[in-house]
Amino acid sequence: MPLIIGHRGAPGYLPEHSRGSYLRAIRAGVDAVEPDVVPSKDGVLVVRHENEIGSTTDVSRRPEFAARRTTRAVDGEELTGWFTEDFTAEELRTLRCRERLPAIRPDSATHDDTEPVLLLRDVLQLARDGGVGVVLEIKHAAYFARRGFDMAELVRAELAEAGWGDAERSLVIESFEPLVLARLRDSGIPHPLVQLVEAEGAPWDLRERDGDDATPYAAMLTPAGLDALAEEVGGISTDKRLILDPDARGRARGPARFVEEARDRGLRVFAWTCRPENAFLLPGFRGDGGPADPGDYRGEWGVLRAAGLDGVFVDHPDLGVEFFRGGGAGA
C-alpha cells in the first residue's frame, strides 16, 4: 500500500500551501504532506510552489509592494511579477494565499485572501501536531545559488532548528536538481533523498553546468541511469505519465518497466500527481464533461496502484486515501 502524500496540502479544495489546505489533508488521513520551499530575502524558507508569487498571493493588490514588480529569468523562463527573494519573511507572512487554478477549481478560489503565507517552520509544526510525515521539495537551487542562497544549508539548518535534524523524524527531501541533493548527501543529512523526474528535458542545474551535454531525465530511467541513482539517492519520484506510459492515443500501457527495475536496485518509487479532473487525466480516461469535471480517475489511478508504488502525491487527499488505502472502492 503506497504512502498517501498531500501534495501542497489539499489543493483540490483549498488554496495550495495554506494552513487550511494542510489541515484538511491531515484530517483526511494522509501519511505525509508536501511543502515546496523557496527563500525569503533574509534567508528564511517560505512555503510556495514558485518564487514568483503574483498569482498565488494577493501581492498584486498590495500598493505598498507595487514597486517590487520586476522581471527575472528563472530556469530559462522569463517571468514578470513579484519574487520571494525580494521580501523579508515577515513581509511575506502579511500576504494571503490565492488559488493557482481558479478556472479549474473555482470552489477553492472562494477561499482566496483568507489565510497567510506559511514558512517551512509552520508546516513542520502542523505535521508534528498532526502526526504525519513531511516530503520537502527544494525549488530552483541553482537559480538561488546565483543569488547568494545555499538551499542545502538553509534546509539543513532549518530542519535542525525545528527539531527535525535526526533520522527518527519521518521526513524525505526531494528535488529536480541532483546537485543540491548531492550537497545534502555530502553534508551527512540523515533524511532519505529522492530525485524528482520530469517527463522530458533535463535538470536545470545540470544544464547550467554541462550545457548540451546535461544528462536528460530520460537517461536517469535507463538501467545504467538507475544504477547511478541507486548510489546517490534512496528513491525516484516521477511524473505519473512516465509510469502510465501512454500510447499515441493517450491510452495507458503501463506500469512502465523502469518501475520494477528501480525497485530491483533498492530505489523507492513515487508518482505525482493524482488529480481527478479531466484537465489532468490522460485522454483515455477523460469523461464527457469540461476540464474541471471529474473523469475516470479511478481507471487511471488503478494503473498506478498496479505498479506497486511506494507513494503517490494527491491533490484530493480524501479521494486518494479512499482509493489507494481502501482498495479503490467504487472503481
Side-chain angles (χ1 to χ4, degrees):
M1 184 181 304
L3 294 176
I4 312 301
I5 303 159
H7 180 240
R8 311 174 203 163
Y13 301 111
L14 294 165
E16 65 187 30
H17 292 315
S18 65
R19 181 177 298 273
S21 185
Y22 284 112
L23 289 175
R24 181 153 183 165
I26 292 168
R27 286 195 296 267
V30 299
D31 299 295
V33 292
E34 185 238 14
D36 303 310
V37 295
V38 293
S40 67
K41 182 178 182 178
D42 45 347
V44 178
L45 291 177
V46 183
V47 179
R48 290 283 91 194
H49 179 245
E50 296 293 338
N51 57 320
E52 198 291 297
I53 54 175
S55 63
T56 60
T57 74
D58 65 344
V59 67
S60 66
R61 300 186 178 191
R62 300 285 293 274
E64 67 270 35
F65 298 134
R68 300 193 202 181
R69 188 171 187 267
T70 188
T71 298
R72 299 251 168 86
V74 182
D75 294 2
E77 181 180 4
E78 189 171 275
L79 302 173
T80 297
W82 290 261
F83 297 83
T84 60
E85 62 268 26
D86 295 330
F87 295 78
T88 67
E90 286 309 307
E91 287 175 326
L92 290 167
R93 288 171 75 103
T94 71
L95 300 177
R96 295 296 180 263
C97 300
R98 297 181 65 83
E99 170 56 46
R100 187 170 59 91
L101 303 168
I104 300 293
R105 293 169 175 170
D107 289 344
S108 175
T110 65
H111 299 273
D112 283 356
D113 305 336
T114 62
E115 297 195 59
V117 168
L118 299 177
L119 307 181
L120 174 60
R121 62 193 63 166
D122 300 322
V123 177
L124 293 175
Q125 188 61 51
L126 289 172
R128 177 184 283 117
D129 292 343
V132 302
V134 172
V135 179
L136 186 161
E137 181 182 344
I138 298 174
K139 307 290 291 193
H140 306 303
Y143 165 84
F144 286 121
R146 294 197 312 275
R147 303 191 69 85
F149 298 97
D150 183 340
M151 291 297 287
E153 176 55 25
L154 289 177
V155 167
R156 187 206 62 75
E158 288 222 16
L159 290 177
E161 184 177 351
W164 290 66
D166 58 76
E168 299 305 312
R169 293 287 181 187
S170 179
L171 187 138
V172 172
I173 302 173
E174 61 181 8
S175 180
F176 287 103
E177 297 176 88
L179 299 183
V180 71
L181 295 176
R183 289 197 297 277
L184 284 167
R185 183 182 67 248
D186 293 344
S187 76
I189 198 163
H191 304 292
L193 304 175
V194 169
Q195 174 68 52
L196 285 160
V197 180
E198 290 268 23
E200 56 187 24
W204 185 257
D205 58 344
L206 298 185
R207 290 174 63 184
E208 282 195 354
R209 188 189 68 179
D210 302 332
D212 292 341
D213 294 327
T215 300
Y217 289 113
M220 294 180 177
L221 301 182
T222 65
L226 292 170
D227 286 341
L229 285 176
E231 297 294 323
E232 299 166 356
V233 295
I236 57 174
S237 184
T238 80
D239 185 323
K240 66 177 181 178
R241 290 174 294 173
L242 292 167
I243 296 170
L244 296 169
D245 190 24
D247 63 18
R249 297 178 63 182
R251 298 172 301 188
R253 299 176 298 186
R257 179 180 298 179
F258 76 82
V259 176
E260 189 62 31
E261 292 175 338
R263 292 171 68 95
D264 287 345
R265 291 161 171 79
L267 291 165
R268 300 167 75 190
V269 183
F270 301 83
W272 48 270
T273 302
C274 293
R275 296 166 167 143
E277 298 102 335
N278 281 321
F280 306 113
L281 297 173
L282 290 182
F285 296 104
R286 292 173 190 161
D288 294 332
D293 293 317
D296 180 20
Y297 68 89
R298 291 182 178 89
E300 185 181 273
W301 296 5
V303 181
L304 299 175
R305 184 174 59 192
L309 302 174
D310 294 281
V312 292
F313 292 80
V314 298
D315 277 8
H316 297 70
D318 57 333
L319 300 182
V321 168
E322 175 194 18
F323 185 86
F324 290 102
R325 191 179 296 158

